[in-house]
Amino acid sequence: MTTVRQALAQSGLVPVDAQVLLAHAVGRDRAWLVAHRDEALTPAQADAFGALAQRRRAGEPVAYLTGMREFWGLPLTVTPAVLVPRPETETLVELALEWLPRDGTPRVLDLGTGSGAIALALAHERPRAQVLATDASAEALAVARENRARLGFGNVVFVESDWYDGVGDAHFDLIVSNPPYVAARDPHLTEGDLRFEPAAALAAGADGLSALRTIIAGAPARLAPGGALVVEHGYDQSERVQALLRDAGCTNIVVRRDLAGIPRVAAGRID
Ligand code: GLN
């Protein structure tokens, strides 16, 4: 017989991962585990948790094992077809909201939406905004559409598109993107959770900037006057991304740090 306490202690996982996976295996939340530490697991629960813990020890992201990750307070379905939404991307949402008026009906474009995290967070905060969100992956768009349906948001449209190719000639008040930005040969791609995430959502050319170049260079032609572009970038790309924004004619360039203090988001305006 295995109790909740024993299962957590013997899992070989960091405590938060063990708690999330055990809660998933028993169909309860983490608060229930705390209140039932001496409760015995059924053999089926113990087996289910053992299998999840083993996959986690082998590196699979917790969010793929539970199929769920919260972003901006919204519960999102995630599968290996999409990048797992990360806390640093909430920094992008915060900055984007500063550029999005509460009144009016701003038009927003989210490029490379993945699970739909950014688009859905913005749609939630600005119910009158019209959000168009793209991804080159049909599998990712299926996940994003499932998330939109569960949340019941009527102001987001998802379209399959390679960056701007399928966007048409509409103009936007705000363009946002968390594109792939890891250098193709970065050793991090072969370590930890990143091994299980879609390469197309992570890696972008030799210097990691190929997607950001396309997105930034194409923004002025798609932004309405006074519109803004907000992008996430890698830990060592802040100067180069600011230069790309200046080269594209952006003014009012703003840089934001993530929770770890690393410059992670850059924004600029087109006058
Ligand atoms: N922030 C991710 C990482 O852990 C990368 C995400 C991205 O490329 N957009 O490296």
Side-chain angles (χ1 to χ4, degrees), residues 181 186 207 233-241 262-264:
Y181 53 65
D186 188 317
D207 62 0
H233 57 70
Y235 70 97
D236 58 353
Q237 294 170 340
S238 179
E239 300 298 331
R240 285 175 289 167
V241 169
I262 298 167
R264 181 64 70 184

Side-chain angles (χ1 to χ4, degrees), residues 134-147:
T134 71
D135 208 284
S137 158
E139 292 80 18
L141 288 171
V143 174
R145 290 191 177 109
E146 180 183 330
N147 283 319

Side-chain angles (χ1 to χ4, degrees), residues 160-185:
E160 192 170 327
S161 172
D162 185 7
W163 304 129
Y164 296 104
D165 289 353
V167 167
D169 39 14
H171 282 70
F172 301 90
D173 301 296
L174 180 71
I175 299 176
V176 293
S177 184
N178 172 22
Y181 53 65
V182 181
R185 303 184 77 116

Side-chain angles (χ1 to χ4, degrees), residues 83 86 88 178-182 194 201-202 232 264:
L83 194 78
R86 288 157 163 71
E88 55 263 34
N178 172 22
Y181 53 65
V182 181
L194 268 54
L202 286 167
E232 183 173 324
R264 181 64 70 184

Side-chain angles (χ1 to χ4, degrees), residues 13-214:
L13 304 178
V14 299
V16 62
D17 289 359
Q19 289 165 18
V20 170
L21 292 176
L22 182 56
H24 182 69
V26 302
R28 306 278 190 169
D29 61 17
R30 287 162 67 196
W32 184 91
L33 297 181
V34 172
H36 296 81
R37 292 204 170 273
D38 296 313
E39 187 130 331
L41 302 181
T42 67
Q45 289 171 339
D47 286 352
F49 177 61
L52 290 169
Q54 188 178 358
R55 289 172 66 185
R56 178 61 191 142
R57 287 194 298 271
E60 281 187 65
V62 171
Y64 290 161
L65 297 174
T66 63
M68 185 64 76
R69 173 58 43 100
E70 200 166 284
F71 181 82
W72 201 261
L74 304 172
L76 299 179
T77 291
V78 295
T79 75
V82 301
L83 194 78
V84 177
R86 288 157 163 71
E88 55 263 34
T89 303
E90 296 185 340
T91 303
L92 182 157
V93 172
E94 279 170 20
L95 183 55
L97 288 171
E98 291 174 24
W99 300 74
L100 257 189
R102 281 191 178 277
D103 45 358
T105 53
R107 294 149 299 172
V108 179
L109 174 64
D110 174 20
L111 295 168
T113 196
S115 62
I118 297 170
L120 293 165
L122 295 176
H124 178 61
E125 293 291 332
R126 296 287 185 273
R128 295 174 59 191
Q130 291 299 327
V131 183
L132 179 66
T134 71
D135 208 284
S137 158
E139 292 80 18
L141 288 171
V143 174
R145 290 191 177 109
E146 180 183 330
N147 283 319
R148 175 188 57 192
R150 181 161 14 74
L151 294 166
F153 294 172
N155 57 336
V156 189
V157 173
F158 292 107
V159 297
E160 192 170 327
S161 172
D162 185 7
W163 304 129
Y164 296 104
D165 289 353
V167 167
D169 39 14
H171 282 70
F172 301 90
D173 301 296
L174 180 71
I175 299 176
V176 293
S177 184
N178 172 22
Y181 53 65
V182 181
R185 303 184 77 116
D186 188 317
H188 290 108
L189 293 170
T190 59
E191 295 166 9
D193 291 19
L194 268 54
R195 289 171 295 161
F196 294 86
E197 295 184 282
L202 286 167
D207 62 0
L209 289 168
S210 64
L212 280 160
R213 278 193 199 92
T214 303

